[in-house]
Amino acid sequence: MRVARPLALLLLILLAACFPASPLPPTPTPHPTTIPAPSPLPTPPPSPTPLPNDLYLTAEDIFLHPGPDLYSGDRVTFDVTPRNLGSIDPADLTVRVYLWTEDGPQPIAEGAVGYPTFDRVPRARLVWAWDTSGLEGEQVLTVRLDPDDLIREGDEDPWNNNVNLTVRLLPAEERPPVEIAATWTTTTTTCCEVHYLTGTAAERDLPRILAQADEAMDYVETRLRVQQEESFSLYLIGRVIGHGGYAQGSDRLVISYLDRHYAGGNLQEVLRHEITHVLDAAGLSPRAPAMMREGLAVWIAGGHFKPEPLRARGAAILRLGWYIPLGDLAEEFYTHQHEIG
């Protein structure tokens, strides 16, 4: 029995050799993964050949006031800002507005381009130019630059000088009730002739406004040691203009007076500031640089539309190095803040 064990083991080995084992499936040969080459970036198109400077106008360059709605009977003001003036002198450029009627286009407004605002952008401002009395519904206007084709150099394509506008005039009776009820009223005080609209905050507070206007005039005359010889017109309006008002020459003053006065100007200081401009224009220094005229108004009023410690503030600005050079202020004063003048 002991001898049989090796024989049995040998027999099993021989039998296994006679029956081949089931073959394993072949391992697939890996194929290399093909990574697509990145697409080449598109070649940018060549930049177009720059066109020469050419005067032109778009509808976005034209604003009509008042707004947003216009009513029959409104006197419309046009603000027109031409583009690409290049070397063209703004004073040589005319803007004309036409109203299309059954008889064809009729000129209703015209004016030269200038600088009516402090942003130094040339534009034409045609004030109260179009009387819409008797008109209702859609009106077609044409606004045209250089209507007589006097400018040749810098205006190679005159066809882009024209813009057609369709303006809708609502019936006068559809105005808001507060506008229908409002009328201009005038009263006279020691300093000036005061104009205001009925039904407004100015009418409600008129006694206080008149007293402050007279006080401001007396205050400015005393500090400047001058006497106003002629009365001027003071207009009280219900919208914010600038910091709260402006003077126009020596005979007209506009002051913002409303309950929601977001500019935050103090009425007393605003009146003193603007009355200083009126007296200054009447004979003190009407041709002085803006820096000097505005600086005088701030100094006389005791602050920039509010009481301020001017000496201390000026010293602090100088010490902090925030002082703008006088040359810059003299050239472009209105692009800087009055306080640092």
Side-chain angles (χ1 to χ4, degrees):
M1 296 297 294
R2 292 181 182 272
V3 178
R5 282 178 178 267
L7 291 175
L9 179 60
L10 179 60
L11 180 61
L12 289 174
I13 294 173
L14 291 174
L15 289 174
C18 294
F19 296 94
S22 300
L24 295 174
T27 303
T29 303
H31 296 285
T33 303
T34 302
I35 301 176
S39 301
L41 294 175
T43 303
S47 300
T49 304
L51 296 175
N53 284 339
D54 181 52
L55 180 71
Y56 71 98
L57 185 69
T58 71
E60 289 74 22
D61 305 320
I62 304 168
F63 291 89
L64 277 62
H65 309 281
D69 296 320
L70 291 174
Y71 297 88
S72 178
D74 281 343
R75 295 182 66 92
V76 178
T77 293
F78 297 90
D79 263 3
V80 182
T81 306
R83 299 197 188 195
N84 229 6
L85 267 71
S87 61
I88 299 173
D89 186 346
D92 294 335
L93 180 58
T94 298
V95 174
R96 188 177 296 156
V97 183
Y98 299 85
L99 172 66
W100 286 82
T101 69
E102 294 179 352
D103 299 324
Q106 304 298 319
I108 58 172
E110 181 175 326
V113 175
Y115 297 93
T117 60
F118 294 148
D119 59 7
R120 303 300 297 165
V121 175
R123 58 171 56 88
R125 175 163 293 171
L126 313 179
V127 179
W128 295 346
W130 180 27
D131 185 354
T132 64
S133 298
L135 300 175
E136 282 188 12
E138 291 188 346
Q139 311 294 321
V140 178
L141 304 176
T142 296
V143 181
R144 186 173 183 181
L145 303 178
D146 188 30
D148 301 317
D149 199 23
L150 301 178
I151 297 175
R152 299 302 174 88
E153 186 175 351
D155 190 20
E156 282 71 15
D157 181 9
W159 292 104
N160 58 15
N161 292 355
N162 302 326
V163 172
N164 294 325
L165 302 173
T166 299
V167 178
R168 186 185 180 198
L169 296 177
L170 300 174
E173 58 270 18
E174 293 185 10
R175 293 178 185 275
V178 65
E179 290 190 20
I180 294 177
T183 58
W184 280 103
T185 304
T186 302
T187 188
T188 302
T189 185
T190 304
C191 75
C192 44
E193 188 176 69
V194 181
H195 307 266
Y196 61 94
L197 285 168
T198 58
T200 61
E203 182 185 42
R204 180 195 64 208
D205 300 337
L206 189 62
R208 182 172 68 88
I209 296 172
L210 298 180
Q212 289 194 351
D214 284 340
E215 187 280 333
M217 172 61 83
D218 183 66
Y219 176 89
V220 173
E221 286 180 331
T222 300
R223 293 208 64 184
L224 289 177
R225 299 179 183 178
V226 298
Q227 192 77 26
Q228 174 74 351
E229 296 181 358
E230 297 182 3
S231 178
F232 60 88
S233 295
L234 168 60
Y235 291 86
L236 301 170
I237 62 174
R239 58 167 295 186
V240 176
I241 297 290
H243 283 280
Y246 66 92
Q248 188 173 21
S250 61
D251 61 352
R252 186 175 302 174
L253 180 60
V254 178
I255 295 293
S256 300
Y257 194 88
L258 62 164
D259 290 329
R260 299 184 65 184
H261 197 327
Y262 56 81
N266 182 293
L267 178 61
Q268 192 73 293
E269 275 65 40
V270 172
L271 285 168
R272 292 176 179 178
H273 183 108
E274 302 303 342
I275 289 175
T276 300
H277 284 317
V278 169
L279 296 181
D280 189 17
L284 287 179
S285 55
R287 297 184 180 275
M291 177 184 69
M292 301 298 294
R293 289 184 280 107
E294 293 292 351
L296 175 65
V298 170
W299 181 258
I300 293 297
H304 187 217
F305 300 122
K306 61 182 180 294
E308 294 179 297
L310 294 177
R311 290 181 181 271
R313 179 158 294 182
I317 289 173
L318 181 61
R319 186 169 184 177
L320 291 169
W322 294 352
Y323 189 81
I324 296 174
L326 291 177
D328 295 343
L329 289 174
E331 290 295 328
E332 294 289 345
F333 177 79
Y334 286 112
T335 61
H336 302 294
Q337 290 293 320
H338 291 23
E339 291 92 335
I340 53 179

